[in-house]
Amino acid sequence: MTDPMMRRPLSSPKQGYAFTIPVCLFSMGLSCLSYAEEMLHWKDAWVRSMPPGAQVSAAYGILMNHSGQTVTLSTVSSEISGNAAMHEVIAEGDQLRMAELESIDIAPHETLIFEPGGRHIMLLDIAAPPVGGETVEICAVSVAGTRACTEAPVRRQAPSADDTHANHH
Ligand SMILES: [Cu+2]
């Protein structure tokens, strides 16, 4: 008998992947796909432009889970950042502070929204401040190793914020 406590943690991505492949080769069916495939797509991603000398920026956008299983995001990255992290904004009294999120679950067929004032992707240790008109690649990676990248345009503020501002004039 195998003592379940003696097995390696099921959360090990490599272990899970090694297990998946033989199952797929054996069954050669759609059940294999639904078991193994995560489908993540970016929508409306953008990166905030920053003035010269800035060492941080942030990325926003909508990440859609098109698969029938929960996807657990564990890593974010960008070509311009030596250290990217998922943050949320927490109100403490009348103060706002940011806290790092180790992972975020996206339920089947649900979306995860990164937006100013809410959850966002913090881009730390940036090599050069992003300038409006450029695009910056940002990537999100799940615990299972699924990687979703997009070329995000650099803007001063959220597209909707631009609209709202325009309406005031
Ligand atoms: Cu932050």
Side-chain angles (χ1 to χ4, degrees):
M1 293 292 283
T2 313
D3 181 348
M5 298 304 287
M6 295 298 289
R7 294 175 59 191
R8 292 172 63 91
L10 285 173
S11 58
S12 164
K14 282 203 173 67
Q15 200 80 356
Y17 195 60
F19 176 69
T20 302
I21 291 168
V23 171
C24 291
L25 289 176
F26 190 73
S27 65
M28 298 291 276
L30 286 172
S31 59
C32 155
L33 278 179
S34 61
Y35 177 73
E37 289 289 307
E38 293 180 341
M39 289 174 61
L40 284 175
H41 288 118
W42 278 101
K43 188 168 171 271
D44 299 338
W46 63 283
V47 168
R48 191 181 293 282
S49 63
M50 295 298 285
Q55 289 173 338
V56 300
S57 181
Y60 311 96
I62 298 168
L63 197 53
M64 301 182 289
N65 175 9
H66 287 299
S67 69
Q69 61 188 291
T70 297
V71 174
T72 302
L73 278 193
S74 58
T75 310
V76 290
S77 65
S78 169
E79 57 188 355
I80 63 163
S81 169
N83 179 15
M86 298 184 288
H87 278 185
E88 66 179 338
V89 176
I90 298 170
E92 279 181 353
D94 55 358
Q95 302 268 48
L96 294 177
R97 69 177 186 87
M98 298 192 295
E100 183 165 351
L101 294 164
E102 290 289 315
S103 64
I104 302 176
D105 286 347
I106 315 176
H109 308 295
E110 290 293 327
T111 57
L112 168 63
I113 301 173
F114 293 108
E115 61 187 348
R119 284 190 267 202
H120 56 276
I121 295 175
M122 203 78 201
L123 304 175
L124 303 157
D125 303 334
I126 54 178
V131 174
E134 296 176 349
T135 60
V136 169
E137 188 185 58
I138 54 172
C139 295
V141 186
S142 78
V143 166
T146 299
R147 187 179 179 86
C149 297
T150 188
E151 286 291 329
V154 177
R155 341 172 36 112
R156 273 183 58 198
Q157 50 190 335
S160 55
D162 282 343
D163 294 344
T164 307
H165 190 247
N167 291 339
H168 281 295
H169 294 278

